[in-house]
Amino acid sequence: MKKTLVAATVFASLMGSAAMSETVGVSMALFDDNFLTVLRNGIDADAKKMGVDVQIEDAQNDVSKQLDQINNFIASGVDAIIVNPVDTSATQAMSDAAEKSGVPLVYVNREPINVDTLPKGQAFVASNEADSGTLETKQLCANWKAEGKSSVNVYVMEGELSNQAAVQRTQDIHDVIDGPDCGVKVNIIDQQTANWSRDQAQNLMTNWLSTGKAFDGVIANNDEMAIGAIQAMKAAGIDMKSVQVGGVDATQDALVAMQQGDLDVTVFQNAAAQGGGALDAALKLIKGETVNRKVYVPFELVTPENIGNYLKKN
């Protein structure tokens, strides 16, 4: 009788623990993206360490699909939701849905348009985009100055124009080259979006090369586009030592390109730390703890001189 009672108590305890395990729904803008894959894996790895059940879904770059995922998470009774927004200008509806249902919501990596008016129980975890393009462009300016150039002609590749990070990183570029910190006159020949895509960037760079205009470098909003530009330039027989190329994220592919002497500057965005930070914020909100509306993970400049510090990250 006593053994049966003990066994029942242990079973009840285990069932209670299982019932207490938090469930977090995660909607990622796109699975097929190198940086976002690292971020997603960071969330998953930390969840396993903490014993948290995460349901991660791919919005496939579709705003409507992402909103459906959020509503489905709410209907299924998750304890919290993490969202990597497809379109940062479409986040108000997501916040409204989560607030109405009382489910905590954390945006990660991409800043929602309503970040300054997020209701109680919602937060944003990322890196401050005011630093990303700034670090990138300042270093490129320094590189051109070190080459003895006083004036350069460049191309600028933008990410998705609906994305706050793309808008801010491009603004950073203009702020640096129009301000006192560059030290070199930078003339932008053309500025177009390649939607964060390596393939689109390669096609865009190929089109630019067909004009025959002389240029000194490419400033890209992310590494994937920088790599696409590099591939187009190498295919055209351009000596990569004659141009400066910058990106953002410090992905593994980007670091390989830097080791090969093709990529000159990138900026480390700690994807794993952002993912883990988003999960941590979600769990605190579930418990009713206070979380800052904006939680920032610092960007870090990466050059050939300090690349060794970043080879095992992202």
Side-chain angles (χ1 to χ4, degrees):
M1 181 72 176
K2 182 182 286 187
K3 287 183 179 179
T4 302
L5 181 61
V6 170
T9 302
V10 171
F11 179 74
S13 175
L14 289 172
M15 289 300 291
S17 298
M20 290 300 290
S21 177
E22 295 90 349
T23 300
V24 178
V26 182
S27 176
M28 297 296 300
L30 186 68
F31 276 15
D32 189 19
D33 178 282
N34 285 350
F35 177 82
L36 294 183
T37 296
V38 179
L39 192 155
R40 171 165 49 94
N41 289 342
I43 294 174
D44 191 47
D46 278 16
K48 288 176 180 175
K49 291 176 185 176
M50 299 176 186
V52 177
D53 178 23
V54 290
Q55 302 171 16
I56 305 179
E57 296 191 7
D58 183 3
Q60 298 176 339
N61 249 10
D62 185 324
V63 177
S64 297
K65 188 179 184 71
Q66 185 160 65
L67 187 54
D68 286 343
Q69 289 173 349
I70 291 168
N71 287 327
N72 289 338
F73 284 146
I74 293 170
S76 69
V78 298
D79 297 299
I81 299 169
I82 295 174
V83 181
N84 169 242
V86 170
D87 183 345
T88 53
S89 66
T91 52
Q92 186 63 57
M94 302 175 192
S95 285
D96 291 345
E99 182 184 22
K100 183 178 179 180
S101 65
V103 178
L105 174 67
V106 179
Y107 293 102
V108 64
N109 180 251
R110 297 177 175 180
E111 182 176 303
I113 194 170
N114 56 320
V115 67
D116 292 322
T117 58
L118 290 177
K120 184 178 180 181
Q122 298 187 17
F124 168 56
V125 179
S127 298
N128 190 345
E129 293 296 352
D131 298 329
S132 55
T134 299
L135 289 169
E136 173 192 16
T137 309
K138 280 185 176 181
Q139 186 59 47
L140 288 171
C141 287
N143 290 355
W144 282 312
K145 192 172 182 180
E147 292 175 344
K149 296 180 179 178
S150 58
S151 179
V152 295
N153 298 314
V154 305
Y155 288 110
V156 173
M157 288 190 172
E158 301 174 274
E160 293 173 2
L161 300 182
S162 63
N163 193 291
Q164 182 273 342
V167 174
Q168 183 61 58
R169 290 178 190 182
T170 302
Q171 185 60 52
D172 295 341
I173 294 169
H174 286 275
D175 288 346
V176 171
I177 66 177
D178 293 338
D181 296 326
C182 187
V184 176
K185 180 175 175 53
V186 179
N187 307 300
I188 296 178
I189 306 170
D190 196 8
Q191 174 179 308
Q192 291 189 43
T193 180
N195 295 308
W196 304 123
S197 166
R198 185 183 302 196
D199 290 341
Q200 289 186 42
Q202 185 172 3
N203 292 334
L204 177 58
M205 192 73 228
T206 299
N207 291 338
W208 280 337
L209 291 172
S210 69
T211 67
K213 293 180 180 178
F215 67 101
D216 301 276
V218 176
I219 310 177
N221 282 171
N222 78 336
D223 289 336
E224 283 296 288
M225 294 188 295
I227 292 170
I230 288 168
Q231 290 174 333
M233 285 185 274
K234 294 179 78 169
I238 291 176
D239 181 0
M240 295 307 299
K241 293 180 181 178
S242 68
V243 293
Q244 292 286 327
V245 182
V248 175
D249 286 338
T251 62
Q252 287 300 308
D253 286 354
L255 298 179
V256 170
M258 183 172 283
Q259 288 178 305
Q260 294 174 341
D262 299 330
L263 183 68
D264 301 282
V265 177
T266 187
V267 181
F268 175 60
Q269 183 175 194
N270 197 327
Q274 286 185 17
L279 183 62
D280 181 64
L283 295 177
K284 286 180 178 178
L285 290 173
I286 290 170
K287 298 173 185 176
E289 297 178 14
T290 300
V291 175
N292 290 336
R293 179 178 288 156
K294 299 178 183 179
V295 180
Y296 285 134
V297 178
F299 278 109
E300 301 171 40
L301 179 68
V302 182
T303 65
E305 287 70 35
N306 70 352
I307 190 174
N309 299 330
Y310 299 91
L311 292 176
K312 294 184 179 180
K313 298 180 180 181
N314 270 3

